[in-house]
Amino acid sequence: MKHTLSVLVQNKPGVLARTAGLFSRRGYNIESLTVGVTENENVSRMTIVVTGDDTVVEQVTKQLNKLIEVIKVSDLTKESYVDRELVLIKVTADGSNRGEIMQLVDVFRARIVDVAAKSLIVEVTGDEEKIVALIAMLKQFGIKEIVRTGTLALGRGPKVIQSGKD
Amino acid sequence: MNLTGAKALIKSLEYEHVDTIFGIPGGVVIPIYDELYQQDAITHYLVRHEQAAAHAADGYARATGKVGVCMATSGPGATNLVTGIATAYMDSVPMIAITGQVTTDLIGNDAFQEANITGITQPVTKHNYLLHDASEIPQTIKEAFHIASTGRPGPVLIDIPKDVQTMTAPFDYPKKVHLPGYQPTYEGHPGQIKRAAKAISEAHRPVIYVGGGVKISGASEEVRALAETILAPVTMTLMGMGTMPADHPLSLGMLGMHGTRYANYAVTESDLIIAIGARFDDRVTGKIASFAPNAKIIHIDIDPAEIGKNVRVDIPIVGDVKRVLQKLMPMLKQTRTKEWMEKVHTWKREYPLEFEVTGLRPQYVVREISRLCPDAVVCTEVGQHQMWAAQYFSHRHPRNFISSGGLGTMGYGFPASIGAKIGRPDETVFDLAGDGSFTMNCQELATAVAYDVQVKVAIFNNGYLGMVRQWQELFYDRRYSQTKLSEINFVKLADAFGAHGIRVDSASEVAPAIKEALAVPKPVIIDFRIEPEECVWPMVPAGAALNEIIDAKSGKV
Ligand SMILES: Cc1ncc(C[n+]2csc(CCOP(=O)(O)OP(=O)(O)O)c2C)c(N)n1
Ligand SMILES: [Mg+2]
């Protein structure tokens, strides 16, 4: 099963390497990992999507917590949360099918951000379900390239995950 | 006050009460060595290989409970430390490793003697630092010692570029650390402790299983009190040996692959395992599915990540084992374990550790060392002799058995014994060594002689990489591939370094040789020419269940 972990870390050089190293060393599977600074410039937030059963995810969480620079680890999967990913997809397109693609893009509330004679680039933001669906639909036209940001996530509602130990 | 980075480092180490460092200088640490030269609060021991510096710092730490410190130059100096750092990491030893690094402007350029040592040691340190400015030094040292010595201890490496050592910065030693992501749990959860007390009161066949965490926490007294209160037998891992005196009626000695039959039987038949400061290593549990199949498991450990890692745990208690046991004790009553204790004692009578008496037997040598120096600090290398040392020495003190358990590092024992002896100069320190392991760091004879560190080395000379040979004998049809060792004249070797050497060929020479070693005021090597093909018994083959035990009768092919 997939788990989405939200990890607050001290914003210091080497933190990303340490975290990524932990996953490879212990043989955990990372689906995606994103990192960026938070409302507090000394703290970064990583969103890590891992696959594994509950014991694996428990170990991942505990091992992450052992890293000195990791301030807090929350498993968002346990609550209700919003997740988003941004994806750019370069699709084969010419005069014959451009219209069809544009319609599809509209339905998904995606955007076309580049048009060339033989291709166009679709930008889509959404949760995993939406992205999987759009990619599946675009396949018939021929996908040349895909780039994805990886998942970002925040828990719903007023509750916040703060760098509480700070 | 403005200080150079090098001076700030030495000052900071003084603030941390460091008086002993093991190391070797090199190009990029000359500024630090220059500062060491101009002070006398810290004694630096020049070793002959950086691996030995790390092991000596580790032995010093294990023997004293203080933080051990080692130092090396960049590149090869730093990489030579790695085995020693990994050894300390696996056995949770508080250690600080200080390495020099090429100047900051050269980092990343494959400069002369550059190695990315923070990258290399990331998986084998509790934490590490690469400094960029001299102003970071006081805070970093403060943090590093705090991290190394608190919670579950471990090694911390600090990499200091040469220009950081020479630039100046204001020096003000901090009083506090600010580590929002590092707050070890010391107090066990009261609800869980209550549940543990209840489980203990309901148990009929409890076994206390003790690991190295008990020594680290200084909780041997508490474990003993627990055992005596609830009348439960105590078995120890290699790291836990000495927690319960070997001659205590409740002691079952070591469990696991080369554990006693009675310890392994007791664990297998137990209905409640109380695991304290232990981590259910595969050498201890045997086949995990058959480990204590009918038991509930209480697991007390300061590291939450150890709980549930290898076995399912019924009652986890995260905390410092000493504090947890102190909270638990008042809730306990005498239990209904009379029948169980009888059964355990029957096993002890029926299956004692046994060995042959013809020729020169290693077990006999260990027994004699134990008899003649019962209070010695015993370090070991890795192999058969290590197991004999664990089995046949009558361990009585928690900090007197020093062995590389987790990593199993050959070459550890001798430098560790030098560190231990420096930490506890008034005590007899022995390294029980294999002929293979000893030669991995025998250059340290020079260090022992130079500083007159009078360690005594007992080499169990079987002419083999004996532990591997044993596996080849038992499981590979006696194909002794690359395990026969060529002959070394250890007496001459000792002599060449200015130490004292003794050769022993027969059982009758054992006691006189040990007495001579103790009497000679020098580092001493005793070359015990033991039975070459002796095996360690009993044995639970890798992957077998703890009660699937082979011994000299059943095991020989
Ligand atoms: C550095 C290192 N290399 C290899 C091994 C694998 N190994 C484990 S025990 C052993 C044999 C040790 O021989 P010796 O020191 O003579 O001890 P004995 O088993 O003969 O008592 C070997 C090679 C190891 N543990 N450590
Ligand atoms: Mg040998």
Side-chain angles (χ1 to χ4, degrees):
Chain A
M1 169 181 173
K2 269 189 200 174
H3 287 254
T4 304
L5 305 180
S6 184
V7 184
L8 288 180
V9 299
Q10 284 182 294
N11 188 7
K12 289 196 177 168
V15 184
L16 182 59
R18 236 185 267 283
T19 312
L22 176 84
F23 278 82
S24 65
R25 169 164 99 86
R26 298 210 175 251
Y28 307 137
N29 287 321
I30 305 190
E31 200 107 322
S32 75
L33 189 159
T34 66
V35 59
V37 75
T38 62
E39 67 283 357
N40 175 348
E41 62 178 26
N42 298 318
V43 176
S44 293
R45 187 189 300 272
M46 293 184 184
T47 306
I48 306 177
V49 180
V50 287
T51 39
D53 57 23
D54 287 352
T55 27
V56 169
V57 174
E58 187 184 321
Q59 260 299 306
V60 170
T61 306
K62 286 173 167 177
Q63 293 294 346
L64 280 170
N65 267 316
K66 276 178 77 165
L67 297 179
I68 306 291
E69 290 139 339
V70 167
I71 301 167
K72 195 165 174 80
V73 183
S74 321
D75 185 353
L76 294 176
T77 323
K78 287 182 181 156
E79 44 200 291
S80 130
Y81 65 102
V82 181
D83 65 317
R84 289 290 178 272
E85 187 174 13
L86 173 74
V87 183
L88 298 177
I89 309 160
K90 189 178 285 179
V91 188
T92 314
D94 53 26
S96 70
N97 58 12
R98 199 171 282 138
E100 202 182 333
I101 296 174
M102 282 166 80
Q103 265 185 354
L104 191 65
V105 163
D106 261 356
V107 173
F108 277 86
R109 278 189 271 159
R111 298 201 296 157
I112 289 172
V113 291
D114 179 66
V115 182
K118 293 223 165 78
S119 70
L120 49 78
I121 296 178
V122 178
E123 174 198 305
V124 61
T125 308
D127 60 12
E128 196 185 355
E129 209 178 325
K130 173 172 165 185
I131 284 165
V132 169
L134 177 59
I135 291 173
M137 293 304 288
L138 290 174
K139 267 206 181 124
Q140 54 180 310
F141 307 104
I143 293 177
K144 291 166 164 289
E145 271 183 310
I146 290 188
V147 60
R148 316 175 61 144
T149 57
T151 302
L152 299 176
L154 275 182
R156 284 185 191 273
K159 208 174 112 191
V160 292
I161 305 166
Q162 265 166 344
S163 39
K165 294 184 210 166
D166 204 327
Chain B
M1 183 177 38
N2 270 349
L3 294 182
T4 63
K7 204 175 204 92
L9 172 67
I10 301 301
K11 267 250 166 318
S12 302
L13 293 175
E14 277 178 37
Y15 272 100
E16 294 298 329
H17 310 291
V18 172
D19 53 15
T20 306
I21 298 180
F22 302 91
I24 301 184
V28 300
V29 284
I30 294 176
I32 299 173
Y33 276 84
D34 195 48
E35 287 300 331
L36 278 171
Y37 188 83
Q38 301 176 49
Q39 56 82 53
D40 45 30
I42 299 172
T43 308
H44 179 277
Y45 291 85
L46 174 64
V47 295
R48 296 305 180 105
H49 188 302
E50 289 86 354
Q51 183 188 352
H55 290 330
D58 170 318
Y60 176 90
R62 294 195 210 205
T64 62
K66 295 195 268 184
V67 179
V69 182
C70 57
M71 187 139 65
T73 190
S74 64
T79 54
N80 270 351
L81 289 178
V82 173
T83 301
I85 294 172
T87 303
Y89 182 71
M90 289 293 270
D91 290 343
S92 309
V93 177
M95 184 163 109
I96 300 289
I98 297 165
T99 49
Q101 182 55 278
V102 300
T103 53
T104 44
D105 59 324
L106 291 177
I107 290 179
N109 285 356
D110 304 315
F112 176 64
Q113 293 197 328
E114 179 186 0
N116 173 4
I117 198 63
T118 44
I120 290 170
T121 58
Q122 201 182 84
V124 293
T125 48
K126 187 168 170 186
H127 195 51
N128 63 24
Y129 297 88
L130 167 60
L131 301 188
H132 299 91
D133 196 282
S135 64
E136 298 170 272
I137 288 177
Q139 187 69 43
T140 304
I141 298 292
K142 178 85 188 168
E143 281 181 18
F145 275 80
H146 178 73
I147 291 168
S149 60
T150 56
R152 179 178 183 174
V156 177
L157 179 136
I158 306 161
D159 199 21
I160 313 180
K162 188 171 187 181
D163 52 329
V164 174
Q165 300 167 30
T166 50
M167 69 172 75
T168 59
F171 181 87
D172 185 17
Y173 203 68
K175 297 208 168 47
K176 282 194 296 206
V177 290
H178 176 67
L179 295 165
Y182 178 69
Q183 278 156 4
T185 307
Y186 291 102
E187 304 297 340
H189 189 281
Q192 295 295 73
I193 295 177
K194 246 188 228 146
R195 283 182 63 208
K198 180 154 179 286
I200 291 170
S201 72
E202 288 165 2
H204 294 270
R205 300 185 304 280
V207 172
I208 299 171
Y209 148 50
V210 166
V214 170
K215 295 184 188 186
I216 295 169
S217 168
S220 301
E221 288 298 317
E222 284 76 9
V223 167
R224 195 168 159 170
L226 171 69
E228 287 169 355
T229 307
I230 66 172
L231 268 188
V234 179
T235 181
M236 291 155 280
T237 67
L238 186 77
M239 305 313 298
M241 294 307 284
T243 300
M244 202 67 176
D247 52 6
H248 192 290
L250 290 172
S251 170
L252 296 178
M254 188 165 71
L255 80 163
M257 181 173 277
H258 291 298
T260 59
R261 270 185 187 263
Y262 39 92
N264 288 338
Y265 287 158
V267 166
T268 305
E269 301 230 342
S270 163
D271 68 350
L272 178 71
I273 300 285
I274 308 169
I276 312 179
R279 61 187 177 89
F280 297 88
D281 178 81
D282 53 277
R283 285 290 184 269
V284 161
T285 59
K287 186 174 157 197
I288 207 92
S290 318
F291 178 78
N294 305 314
K296 263 195 183 168
I297 296 180
I298 299 173
H299 191 181
I300 310 172
D301 202 286
I302 196 155
D303 182 356
E306 286 304 341
I307 289 174
K309 187 178 82 177
N310 295 334
V311 298
R312 44 143 199 103
V313 169
D314 301 283
I315 305 176
I317 306 178
V318 177
D320 172 48
V321 297
K322 189 184 182 96
R323 296 201 206 174
V324 171
L325 291 178
Q326 284 170 346
K327 288 257 164 64
L328 176 66
M329 282 299 293
M331 302 181 192
L332 299 174
K333 295 183 283 285
Q334 176 86 38
T335 43
R336 293 151 291 176
T337 62
K338 191 156 165 284
E339 259 174 61
W340 175 234
M341 287 312 302
E342 276 164 18
K343 190 160 191 185
V344 168
H345 282 125
T346 312
W347 281 327
K348 279 182 92 166
R349 268 195 309 279
E350 244 171 86
Y351 307 109
L353 287 173
E354 279 176 323
F355 59 93
E356 301 272 334
V357 289
T358 53
L360 179 55
R361 298 286 168 171
Q363 302 91 334
Y364 173 76
V365 174
V366 177
R367 279 267 162 91
E368 285 296 279
I369 295 173
S370 182
R371 182 175 67 84
L372 293 167
C373 354
D375 296 315
V377 176
V378 173
C379 302
T380 80
E381 306 289 344
V382 170
Q384 293 182 308
H385 62 279
Q386 178 188 31
M387 294 298 117
W388 291 317
Q391 293 174 327
Y392 290 95
F393 195 92
S394 190
H395 304 281
R396 310 205 296 181
H397 309 288
R399 284 200 182 273
N400 278 21
F401 185 62
I402 296 178
S403 192
S404 168
L407 200 66
T409 309
M410 290 172 69
Y412 167 78
F414 182 46
S417 72
I418 293 174
K421 179 75 180 166
I422 287 168
R424 286 160 65 182
D426 301 331
E427 293 174 59
T428 302
V429 177
F430 257 95
D431 175 33
L432 304 196
D435 47 337
S437 299
F438 181 70
T439 45
M440 285 202 183
N441 268 321
C442 62
Q443 79 285 345
E444 295 310 316
L445 277 167
T447 310
V449 170
Y451 294 95
D452 194 25
V453 183
Q454 298 178 15
V455 292
K456 316 294 173 182
V457 182
I459 298 181
F460 292 74
N461 188 349
N462 50 12
Y464 281 108
L465 297 168
M467 186 57 98
V468 182
R469 187 208 59 77
Q470 173 168 345
W471 284 48
Q472 290 169 334
E473 173 184 334
L474 299 176
F475 313 117
Y476 293 86
D477 224 1
R478 290 180 184 269
R479 289 186 297 277
Y480 292 167
S481 176
Q482 302 298 314
T483 42
K484 181 88 194 98
L485 295 170
S486 61
E487 177 70 31
I488 292 175
N489 186 330
F490 285 110
V491 173
K492 276 194 177 162
L493 181 79
D495 197 43
F497 279 96
H500 183 68
I502 308 168
R503 177 179 161 132
V504 171
D505 291 278
S506 68
S508 62
E509 300 165 87
V510 172
I514 296 167
K515 287 178 189 159
E516 180 183 336
L518 295 173
V520 174
K522 278 184 179 186
V524 177
I525 295 179
I526 318 177
D527 180 15
F528 291 104
R529 316 288 296 203
I530 60 165
E531 281 300 316
E533 299 206 11
E534 183 68 285
C535 283
V536 180
W537 304 118
M539 179 175 191
V540 177
L546 276 192
N547 60 353
E548 293 166 10
I549 301 167
I550 56 176
D551 59 22
K553 280 159 245 152
S554 62
K556 288 262 191 213
V557 235

